[in-house]
Short mmCIF file of all heavy atoms in Angstrom, two decimals:
data_model
loop_
_atom_site.label_atom_id
_atom_site.label_comp_id
_atom_site.label_asym_id
_atom_site.label_seq_id
_atom_site.Cartn_x
_atom_site.Cartn_y
_atom_site.Cartn_z
N ASN H 10 0.83 -1.22 0.00
CA ASN H 10 0.00 0.00 0.00
C ASN H 10 0.86 1.26 0.00
O ASN H 10 0.50 2.30 0.56
CB ASN H 10 -0.96 0.01 1.19
CG ASN H 10 -0.22 0.14 2.53
OD1 ASN H 10 0.96 -0.22 2.63
ND2 ASN H 10 -0.90 0.63 3.55
N TRP H 11 2.02 1.19 -0.65
CA TRP H 11 2.97 2.30 -0.74
C TRP H 11 2.30 3.57 -1.28
O TRP H 11 1.45 3.50 -2.17
CB TRP H 11 4.11 1.89 -1.67
CG TRP H 11 5.24 2.87 -1.79
CD1 TRP H 11 5.60 3.56 -2.91
CD2 TRP H 11 6.18 3.24 -0.77
NE1 TRP H 11 6.70 4.34 -2.66
CE2 TRP H 11 7.08 4.17 -1.35
CE3 TRP H 11 6.34 2.90 0.56
CZ2 TRP H 11 8.14 4.75 -0.64
CZ3 TRP H 11 7.39 3.47 1.27
CH2 TRP H 11 8.27 4.38 0.68
N GLY H 12 2.70 4.70 -0.73
CA GLY H 12 2.13 5.97 -1.16
C GLY H 12 1.28 6.57 -0.06
O GLY H 12 1.70 6.63 1.10
N GLU H 13 0.07 6.99 -0.42
CA GLU H 13 -0.82 7.59 0.58
C GLU H 13 -1.05 6.65 1.78
O GLU H 13 -1.23 7.10 2.91
CB GLU H 13 -2.16 7.99 -0.03
CG GLU H 13 -2.08 9.17 -0.99
CD GLU H 13 -2.00 8.76 -2.44
OE1 GLU H 13 -1.51 7.63 -2.71
OE2 GLU H 13 -2.41 9.55 -3.32
N GLY H 14 -1.03 5.31 1.50
CA GLY H 14 -1.23 4.34 2.58
C GLY H 14 -0.14 4.38 3.64
O GLY H 14 -0.31 3.84 4.73
N TRP H 15 0.98 4.99 3.31
CA TRP H 15 2.09 5.14 4.27
C TRP H 15 2.08 6.52 4.92
O TRP H 15 3.05 6.91 5.57
CB TRP H 15 3.42 4.91 3.55
CG TRP H 15 3.77 3.46 3.41
CD1 TRP H 15 3.07 2.49 2.74
CD2 TRP H 15 4.92 2.81 3.95
NE1 TRP H 15 3.70 1.28 2.83
CE2 TRP H 15 4.85 1.45 3.57
CE3 TRP H 15 6.01 3.22 4.71
CZ2 TRP H 15 5.81 0.51 3.93
CZ3 TRP H 15 6.97 2.30 5.06
CH2 TRP H 15 6.87 0.96 4.68
N GLY H 16 1.00 7.27 4.71
CA GLY H 16 0.93 8.60 5.31
C GLY H 16 1.60 9.68 4.47
O GLY H 16 1.87 10.77 4.96
N PHE H 17 1.86 9.37 3.18
CA PHE H 17 2.46 10.37 2.30
C PHE H 17 1.38 11.32 1.80
O PHE H 17 0.19 11.02 1.86
CB PHE H 17 3.13 9.71 1.09
CG PHE H 17 4.25 8.76 1.43
CD1 PHE H 17 4.77 7.92 0.46
CD2 PHE H 17 4.81 8.70 2.70
CE1 PHE H 17 5.80 7.03 0.75
CE2 PHE H 17 5.84 7.82 3.00
CZ PHE H 17 6.34 6.98 2.02
N MET H 18 1.80 12.45 1.25
CA MET H 18 0.88 13.42 0.68
C MET H 18 0.20 12.82 -0.57
O MET H 18 0.67 11.80 -1.10
CB MET H 18 1.62 14.71 0.32
CG MET H 18 2.65 14.55 -0.79
SD MET H 18 3.60 16.08 -1.10
CE MET H 18 4.66 16.16 0.34
N PRO H 19 -0.91 13.41 -1.05
CA PRO H 19 -1.55 12.89 -2.25
C PRO H 19 -0.57 12.80 -3.41
O PRO H 19 0.29 13.67 -3.59
CB PRO H 19 -2.65 13.93 -2.53
CG PRO H 19 -2.94 14.56 -1.21
CD PRO H 19 -1.62 14.58 -0.48
N SER H 20 -0.71 11.74 -4.21
CA SER H 20 0.22 11.47 -5.31
C SER H 20 0.35 12.65 -6.26
O SER H 20 1.44 12.97 -6.74
CB SER H 20 -0.24 10.23 -6.07
OG SER H 20 0.60 9.96 -7.16
N ASP H 21 -0.77 13.34 -6.54
CA ASP H 21 -0.73 14.43 -7.51
C ASP H 21 -0.16 15.72 -6.95
O ASP H 21 -0.11 16.75 -7.63
CB ASP H 21 -2.11 14.68 -8.12
CG ASP H 21 -3.14 15.09 -7.09
OD1 ASP H 21 -2.83 15.11 -5.88
OD2 ASP H 21 -4.28 15.42 -7.50
N ARG H 22 0.28 15.68 -5.68
CA ARG H 22 0.95 16.84 -5.06
C ARG H 22 2.42 16.55 -4.77
O ARG H 22 3.15 17.43 -4.33
CB ARG H 22 0.25 17.23 -3.75
CG ARG H 22 -1.20 17.71 -3.92
CD ARG H 22 -1.24 19.01 -4.69
NE ARG H 22 -2.60 19.47 -4.93
CZ ARG H 22 -3.29 19.24 -6.03
NH1 ARG H 22 -2.78 18.49 -6.99
NH2 ARG H 22 -4.49 19.73 -6.19
N ALA H 23 2.85 15.31 -5.02
CA ALA H 23 4.17 14.87 -4.57
C ALA H 23 5.22 14.87 -5.67
O ALA H 23 4.96 14.39 -6.78
CB ALA H 23 4.07 13.47 -3.97
N LEU H 24 6.41 15.40 -5.37
CA LEU H 24 7.59 15.14 -6.17
C LEU H 24 8.46 14.19 -5.35
O LEU H 24 8.74 14.46 -4.18
CB LEU H 24 8.37 16.42 -6.47
CG LEU H 24 9.60 16.13 -7.34
CD1 LEU H 24 9.55 16.89 -8.65
CD2 LEU H 24 10.90 16.36 -6.61
N VAL H 25 8.83 13.05 -5.94
CA VAL H 25 9.48 11.99 -5.16
C VAL H 25 10.86 11.66 -5.70
O VAL H 25 11.17 11.86 -6.88
CB VAL H 25 8.61 10.72 -5.08
CG1 VAL H 25 7.28 11.03 -4.43
CG2 VAL H 25 8.38 10.10 -6.45
N PHE H 26 11.70 11.11 -4.81
CA PHE H 26 13.09 10.82 -5.13
C PHE H 26 13.63 9.87 -4.07
O PHE H 26 13.14 9.85 -2.93
CB PHE H 26 13.92 12.11 -5.14
CG PHE H 26 13.64 13.02 -3.97
CD1 PHE H 26 14.44 12.99 -2.83
CD2 PHE H 26 12.56 13.90 -3.99
CE1 PHE H 26 14.17 13.83 -1.75
CE2 PHE H 26 12.27 14.73 -2.90
CZ PHE H 26 13.08 14.69 -1.78
N VAL H 27 14.60 9.06 -4.46
CA VAL H 27 15.24 8.14 -3.51
C VAL H 27 16.25 8.90 -2.67
O VAL H 27 16.36 8.70 -1.46
CB VAL H 27 15.89 6.97 -4.26
CG1 VAL H 27 16.75 6.12 -3.33
CG2 VAL H 27 14.80 6.10 -4.92
N ASP H 28 17.00 9.79 -3.30
CA ASP H 28 17.95 10.66 -2.58
C ASP H 28 18.01 11.99 -3.31
O ASP H 28 17.63 12.11 -4.48
CB ASP H 28 19.35 10.03 -2.50
CG ASP H 28 20.00 9.83 -3.86
OD1 ASP H 28 19.26 9.58 -4.85
OD2 ASP H 28 21.24 9.89 -3.96
N ASN H 29 18.52 13.02 -2.61
CA ASN H 29 18.77 14.30 -3.27
C ASN H 29 20.15 14.80 -2.84
O ASN H 29 20.86 14.14 -2.08
CB ASN H 29 17.65 15.31 -3.00
CG ASN H 29 17.75 15.99 -1.64
OD1 ASN H 29 18.41 15.50 -0.74
ND2 ASN H 29 17.08 17.11 -1.49
N HIS H 30 20.53 15.97 -3.35
CA HIS H 30 21.90 16.45 -3.12
C HIS H 30 22.18 16.73 -1.65
O HIS H 30 23.34 16.69 -1.23
CB HIS H 30 22.16 17.71 -3.96
CG HIS H 30 21.38 18.90 -3.52
ND1 HIS H 30 20.06 19.10 -3.87
CD2 HIS H 30 21.72 19.96 -2.75
CE1 HIS H 30 19.64 20.23 -3.34
NE2 HIS H 30 20.62 20.78 -2.65
N ASP H 31 21.16 17.00 -0.87
CA ASP H 31 21.34 17.23 0.57
C ASP H 31 21.43 15.92 1.35
O ASP H 31 22.40 15.67 2.06
CB ASP H 31 20.16 18.05 1.13
CG ASP H 31 20.32 19.55 0.92
OD1 ASP H 31 21.44 20.05 1.12
OD2 ASP H 31 19.34 20.19 0.54
N ASN H 32 20.37 15.09 1.23
CA ASN H 32 20.33 13.94 2.14
C ASN H 32 21.28 12.82 1.76
O ASN H 32 21.56 11.95 2.57
CB ASN H 32 18.90 13.45 2.39
CG ASN H 32 18.18 12.93 1.17
OD1 ASN H 32 18.79 12.61 0.15
ND2 ASN H 32 16.86 12.85 1.24
N GLN H 33 21.84 12.86 0.54
CA GLN H 33 22.89 11.87 0.24
C GLN H 33 24.17 12.22 1.02
O GLN H 33 25.07 11.38 1.15
CB GLN H 33 23.15 11.75 -1.26
CG GLN H 33 23.77 12.94 -1.91
CD GLN H 33 24.13 12.73 -3.38
OE1 GLN H 33 24.90 13.49 -3.93
NE2 GLN H 33 23.57 11.71 -4.03
N ARG H 34 24.23 13.44 1.56
CA ARG H 34 25.36 13.88 2.38
C ARG H 34 25.03 13.90 3.87
O ARG H 34 25.81 14.42 4.67
CB ARG H 34 25.78 15.28 1.96
CG ARG H 34 26.42 15.34 0.60
CD ARG H 34 26.56 16.74 0.04
NE ARG H 34 27.40 16.70 -1.15
CZ ARG H 34 27.01 16.24 -2.33
NH1 ARG H 34 25.76 15.82 -2.49
NH2 ARG H 34 27.84 16.19 -3.34
N GLY H 35 23.85 13.37 4.22
CA GLY H 35 23.47 13.38 5.63
C GLY H 35 22.79 14.64 6.08
O GLY H 35 22.48 14.81 7.25
N HIS H 36 22.54 15.60 5.15
CA HIS H 36 21.80 16.82 5.49
C HIS H 36 20.31 16.57 5.32
O HIS H 36 19.91 15.65 4.64
CB HIS H 36 22.18 17.97 4.54
CG HIS H 36 23.60 18.40 4.61
ND1 HIS H 36 24.01 19.54 5.24
CD2 HIS H 36 24.72 17.83 4.12
CE1 HIS H 36 25.32 19.66 5.13
NE2 HIS H 36 25.78 18.63 4.44
N GLY H 37 19.50 17.46 5.86
CA GLY H 37 18.08 17.42 5.53
C GLY H 37 17.34 16.32 6.26
O GLY H 37 17.21 16.37 7.46
N ALA H 38 16.89 15.31 5.52
CA ALA H 38 15.97 14.34 6.12
C ALA H 38 16.34 12.93 5.74
O ALA H 38 16.75 12.66 4.62
CB ALA H 38 14.56 14.64 5.64
N GLY H 39 16.16 12.02 6.69
CA GLY H 39 16.30 10.60 6.39
C GLY H 39 17.48 9.93 7.04
O GLY H 39 17.48 8.73 7.27
N GLY H 40 18.55 10.72 7.31
CA GLY H 40 19.71 10.16 8.00
C GLY H 40 20.34 9.01 7.23
O GLY H 40 20.37 8.99 6.00
N ALA H 41 20.83 8.02 7.98
CA ALA H 41 21.60 6.92 7.39
C ALA H 41 20.75 5.98 6.54
O ALA H 41 21.30 5.16 5.81
CB ALA H 41 22.30 6.14 8.49
N SER H 42 19.43 6.08 6.64
CA SER H 42 18.59 5.17 5.84
C SER H 42 18.60 5.51 4.36
O SER H 42 18.29 4.68 3.52
CB SER H 42 17.15 5.17 6.36
OG SER H 42 16.47 6.35 5.94
N ILE H 43 18.96 6.75 4.01
CA ILE H 43 18.91 7.19 2.61
C ILE H 43 19.83 6.35 1.74
O ILE H 43 21.02 6.19 2.04
CB ILE H 43 19.29 8.68 2.49
CG1 ILE H 43 18.27 9.56 3.26
CG2 ILE H 43 19.37 9.12 1.05
CD1 ILE H 43 16.86 9.51 2.74
N LEU H 44 19.28 5.80 0.66
CA LEU H 44 20.07 5.02 -0.30
C LEU H 44 20.77 5.97 -1.26
O LEU H 44 20.17 6.94 -1.74
CB LEU H 44 19.16 4.09 -1.10
CG LEU H 44 18.42 3.02 -0.30
CD1 LEU H 44 17.33 2.38 -1.17
CD2 LEU H 44 19.37 1.97 0.23
N THR H 45 22.06 5.71 -1.55
CA THR H 45 22.82 6.53 -2.49
C THR H 45 23.67 5.65 -3.38
O THR H 45 23.74 4.43 -3.19
CB THR H 45 23.77 7.50 -1.74
OG1 THR H 45 24.85 6.75 -1.19
CG2 THR H 45 23.04 8.26 -0.62
N PHE H 46 24.37 6.26 -4.31
CA PHE H 46 25.23 5.52 -5.22
C PHE H 46 26.34 4.77 -4.49
O PHE H 46 26.93 3.84 -5.02
CB PHE H 46 25.83 6.45 -6.29
CG PHE H 46 26.77 7.49 -5.73
CD1 PHE H 46 28.12 7.20 -5.55
CD2 PHE H 46 26.32 8.76 -5.39
CE1 PHE H 46 28.99 8.16 -5.04
CE2 PHE H 46 27.18 9.72 -4.89
CZ PHE H 46 28.52 9.42 -4.71
N PHE H 47 26.65 5.18 -3.26
CA PHE H 47 27.65 4.46 -2.47
C PHE H 47 27.18 3.04 -2.14
O PHE H 47 27.99 2.17 -1.85
CB PHE H 47 27.97 5.21 -1.17
CG PHE H 47 28.80 6.46 -1.37
CD1 PHE H 47 28.26 7.71 -1.11
CD2 PHE H 47 30.12 6.39 -1.81
CE1 PHE H 47 29.02 8.87 -1.28
CE2 PHE H 47 30.89 7.54 -1.98
CZ PHE H 47 30.34 8.78 -1.71
N ASP H 48 25.85 2.83 -2.12
CA ASP H 48 25.25 1.49 -1.90
C ASP H 48 24.62 1.05 -3.22
O ASP H 48 23.41 0.86 -3.29
CB ASP H 48 24.16 1.55 -0.83
CG ASP H 48 24.54 2.36 0.39
OD1 ASP H 48 25.44 1.91 1.10
OD2 ASP H 48 23.96 3.43 0.61
N ALA H 49 25.43 0.87 -4.26
CA ALA H 49 24.90 0.76 -5.62
C ALA H 49 23.85 -0.33 -5.79
O ALA H 49 22.83 -0.12 -6.43
CB ALA H 49 26.04 0.56 -6.62
N ARG H 50 24.08 -1.51 -5.20
CA ARG H 50 23.15 -2.63 -5.40
C ARG H 50 21.77 -2.30 -4.82
O ARG H 50 20.74 -2.48 -5.49
CB ARG H 50 23.71 -3.90 -4.75
CG ARG H 50 22.91 -5.16 -5.00
CD ARG H 50 23.66 -6.36 -4.42
NE ARG H 50 23.05 -7.63 -4.75
CZ ARG H 50 22.21 -8.30 -3.95
NH1 ARG H 50 21.88 -7.80 -2.77
NH2 ARG H 50 21.71 -9.46 -4.32
N LEU H 51 21.75 -1.82 -3.60
CA LEU H 51 20.47 -1.46 -2.98
C LEU H 51 19.86 -0.23 -3.66
O LEU H 51 18.63 -0.13 -3.81
CB LEU H 51 20.67 -1.19 -1.49
CG LEU H 51 21.20 -2.34 -0.63
CD1 LEU H 51 21.35 -1.90 0.83
CD2 LEU H 51 20.30 -3.56 -0.73
N TYR H 52 20.71 0.70 -4.04
CA TYR H 52 20.24 1.94 -4.66
C TYR H 52 19.48 1.65 -5.95
O TYR H 52 18.40 2.21 -6.19
CB TYR H 52 21.43 2.86 -4.94
CG TYR H 52 21.06 4.21 -5.47
CD1 TYR H 52 20.43 5.16 -4.64
CD2 TYR H 52 21.33 4.58 -6.78
CE1 TYR H 52 20.10 6.42 -5.12
CE2 TYR H 52 20.99 5.83 -7.27
CZ TYR H 52 20.37 6.74 -6.44
OH TYR H 52 20.03 7.99 -6.90
N LYS H 53 20.03 0.77 -6.80
CA LYS H 53 19.35 0.45 -8.06
C LYS H 53 17.99 -0.18 -7.79
O LYS H 53 17.03 0.08 -8.51
CB LYS H 53 20.24 -0.46 -8.91
CG LYS H 53 21.41 0.27 -9.56
CD LYS H 53 22.29 -0.65 -10.38
CE LYS H 53 23.24 -1.46 -9.53
NZ LYS H 53 24.19 -2.26 -10.35
N MET H 54 17.89 -1.02 -6.74
CA MET H 54 16.57 -1.58 -6.39
C MET H 54 15.61 -0.48 -5.97
O MET H 54 14.44 -0.47 -6.38
CB MET H 54 16.72 -2.60 -5.26
CG MET H 54 17.07 -3.99 -5.72
SD MET H 54 16.63 -5.24 -4.48
CE MET H 54 17.98 -5.03 -3.34
N GLY H 55 16.08 0.46 -5.15
CA GLY H 55 15.22 1.55 -4.68
C GLY H 55 14.72 2.42 -5.82
O GLY H 55 13.53 2.73 -5.92
#
């Protein structure tokens, strides 16, 4: 039930991404859970 079922905003209001320039560096939001190119195998799945 990924998406709104997880408490996310409505789909037609959301811009989504696995990582961005901030949180791939530990800034912003998500902390160590954020997938980046440093974890290439998991990142490609995400």
Side-chain angles (χ1 to χ4, degrees):
N10 67 335
W11 185 246
E13 290 97 334
W15 278 60
F17 299 168
M18 65 185 72
S20 178
D21 62 355
R22 296 294 177 265
L24 181 121
V25 300
F26 45 96
V27 171
D28 63 328
N29 80 341
H30 68 280
D31 277 317
N32 63 18
Q33 68 175 197
R34 291 167 170 75
H36 296 257
S42 76
I43 297 297
L44 297 168
T45 72
F46 65 87
F47 287 113
D48 315 293
R50 185 174 187 263
L51 299 180
Y52 185 71
K53 285 179 281 185
M54 275 201 282

